[in-house]
């Protein structure tokens, strides 16, 4: 029971750290955080769109951030590593923050939603879904969805390939929740099967080379037998055609004999 409480406490602390960093590096484009325990202490990997704003001039900003994390969350010797997001348009958290910021600046929710979907798909994503919920146009709560491409809602493909980001836009009527889900461009779905040629299959799976070679030889033998049978059938058809021609000749010759007999009778 003590170990379970320890896990729960650790996860709560990490969630609070994520919320703290989302507020602190909001202007730099927060893209995610990973916490790892090392023999030297705790490594905090921070993914942002603009790392320079997190580090600050001569590293002052990141030093203050490290000190705040150590004092507030009691991590053991925290070391912050800042990484730049490879493609911000494919980072669900960054796109959710941008969409929330656009709504706060007065963009219409439909225009902002369609624009976000188009930017994500143009970046190469296999699919995406944007959900905006709150008081969009009146006093009643509404939920609007914008989606394109492949979306997985459950199972292993969702756990492996779907990335989710969430942000909140604060407007005068109330807060609006924004959730962005993006499918990885390199995602390979279970129904996508590629059939390799025999030579490439042997190179890719050398442990199954004997089975593949035996299967190919059996397939070639079956093809040879079918070819021989077709040739035999073709020869039989030719013989039957010759017999028909001969019978026609015989019938013609009989007709000629009949004509000769008629001529003889007339004489």
């Amino acid at each position: 029971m003590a170990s379970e409480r320890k896990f729960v406490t650790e996860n709560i602390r990490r969630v609070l750290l994520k919320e703290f960093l989302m507020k602190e590096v909001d202007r730099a484009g927060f893209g995610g955080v990973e916490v790892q325990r090392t023999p030297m202490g705790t490594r905090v990997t921070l993914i942002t769109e603009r790392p320079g704003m997190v580090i600050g001039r001569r590293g002052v900003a990141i030093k203050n951030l490290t000190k705040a994390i150590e004092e507030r969350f009691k991590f053991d010797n925290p070391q912050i590593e800042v990484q730049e997001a490879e493609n911000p348009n494919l980072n669900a958290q960054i796109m959710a923050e941008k969409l929330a910021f656009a709504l706060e600046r007065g963009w219409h929710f439909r225009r902002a939603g369609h624009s976000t979907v188009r930017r994500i798909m143009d970046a190469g994503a296999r699919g995406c879904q944007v959900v905006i919920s709150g008081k969009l146009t009146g006093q009643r709560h509404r939920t609007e969805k914008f989606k394109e491409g492949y979306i997985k809602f459950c199972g292993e493909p969702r756990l492996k390939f779907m990335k989710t980001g969430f942000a909140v836009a604060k407007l005068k009527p109330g807060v609006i929740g924004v959730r962005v889900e993006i499918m990885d461009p390199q995602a390979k779905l279970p129904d996508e099967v590629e059939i390799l040629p025999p030579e490439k299959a042997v190179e890719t799976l050398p442990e199954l080379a004997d089975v593949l070679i035996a299967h190919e030889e059996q397939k070639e033998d079956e093809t040879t037998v079918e070819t021989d049978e077709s040739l035999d059938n073709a020869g039989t058809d030719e013989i039957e055609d010759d017999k028909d021609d001969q019978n026609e000749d015989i019938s013609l010759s009989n007709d000629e004999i009949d004509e000769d007999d008629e001529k003889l009778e007339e004489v």
Side-chain angles (χ1 to χ4, degrees):
M1 193 66 184
S3 59
E4 294 175 356
R5 288 180 179 176
K6 186 178 179 181
F7 284 123
V8 172
T9 305
E10 181 65 21
N11 285 331
I12 291 174
R13 185 164 65 161
R14 295 191 179 193
V15 171
L16 294 175
L17 173 65
K18 182 180 178 181
E19 293 180 353
F20 171 75
L21 292 175
M22 286 174 67
K23 294 179 181 177
E24 290 294 321
V25 301
D26 186 24
R27 294 180 56 193
F30 177 79
V33 63
E34 294 180 1
V35 180
Q36 293 179 333
R37 286 188 174 276
T38 64
M40 302 299 293
T42 306
R43 180 188 300 162
V44 180
T45 304
L46 182 59
I47 301 171
T48 64
E49 188 178 5
R50 293 180 288 275
M53 297 184 66
V54 179
I55 297 171
R57 181 173 294 180
R58 298 182 181 178
V60 176
I62 197 169
K63 287 180 182 176
N64 295 332
L65 190 62
T66 304
K67 188 176 180 181
I69 290 175
E70 187 175 8
E71 292 178 353
R72 180 172 298 194
F73 299 98
K74 307 300 181 184
F75 280 111
D76 183 22
N77 189 21
Q79 302 292 325
I80 298 180
E81 180 181 348
V82 183
Q83 294 182 357
E84 184 178 4
E86 295 181 359
N87 191 345
N89 292 333
L90 294 177
N91 189 302
Q93 184 60 40
I94 292 177
M95 296 308 294
E97 295 280 351
K98 287 185 175 180
L99 178 54
F101 185 63
L103 294 174
E104 290 178 349
R105 286 193 302 168
W107 280 43
H108 193 270
F109 72 92
R110 290 190 189 280
R111 180 188 173 195
H114 286 299
S115 175
T116 302
V117 170
R118 188 170 59 252
R119 286 181 65 179
I120 293 172
M121 296 305 294
D122 290 344
R126 296 208 60 184
C128 69
Q129 176 175 263
V130 174
V131 181
I132 304 174
S133 58
K135 295 179 181 178
L136 302 178
T137 56
Q139 292 300 316
R140 297 190 64 179
H141 177 277
R142 290 176 57 190
T143 299
E144 294 289 338
K145 295 181 181 179
F146 309 88
K147 58 185 178 181
E148 188 173 345
Y150 290 93
I151 304 294
K152 291 299 176 185
F153 298 96
C154 60
E156 186 180 2
R158 178 176 178 81
L159 298 176
K160 289 178 64 177
F161 305 127
M162 296 297 294
K163 306 298 181 185
T164 305
F166 182 78
V168 175
K170 298 177 182 177
L171 304 178
K172 288 183 179 179
V175 295
I176 293 178
V178 175
R179 189 176 76 241
V180 176
E181 296 179 348
I182 301 176
M183 178 174 277
D184 195 333
Q186 306 300 328
K188 187 175 182 180
L189 301 178
D191 60 340
E192 295 176 349
V193 179
E194 181 183 1
I195 299 176
L196 298 175
E199 297 80 7
K200 195 170 181 180
V202 172
E203 294 177 359
T204 307
L205 301 171
E207 65 274 11
L208 299 177
D210 298 336
V211 178
L212 294 172
I213 292 172
H215 178 70
E216 286 300 317
E217 290 177 354
Q218 183 181 359
K219 194 174 179 181
E220 290 179 358
D221 294 340
E222 291 176 357
T223 306
T224 306
V225 171
E226 290 178 356
T227 307
D228 294 340
E229 289 178 353
S230 61
L231 290 174
D232 293 340
N233 293 331
T236 306
D237 294 338
E238 290 179 356
I239 293 170
E240 290 179 354
D241 293 339
D242 293 340
K243 287 182 179 179
D244 293 338
D245 294 340
Q246 290 176 2
N247 292 330
E248 289 179 357
D249 294 339
I250 292 170
S251 61
L252 287 173
S253 60
N254 291 331
D255 294 337
E256 291 175 356
I257 292 169
D258 294 337
E259 289 178 358
D260 294 339
D261 292 340
E262 290 176 357
K263 289 178 180 178
L264 288 174
E265 288 178 358
E266 290 176 356
V267 171

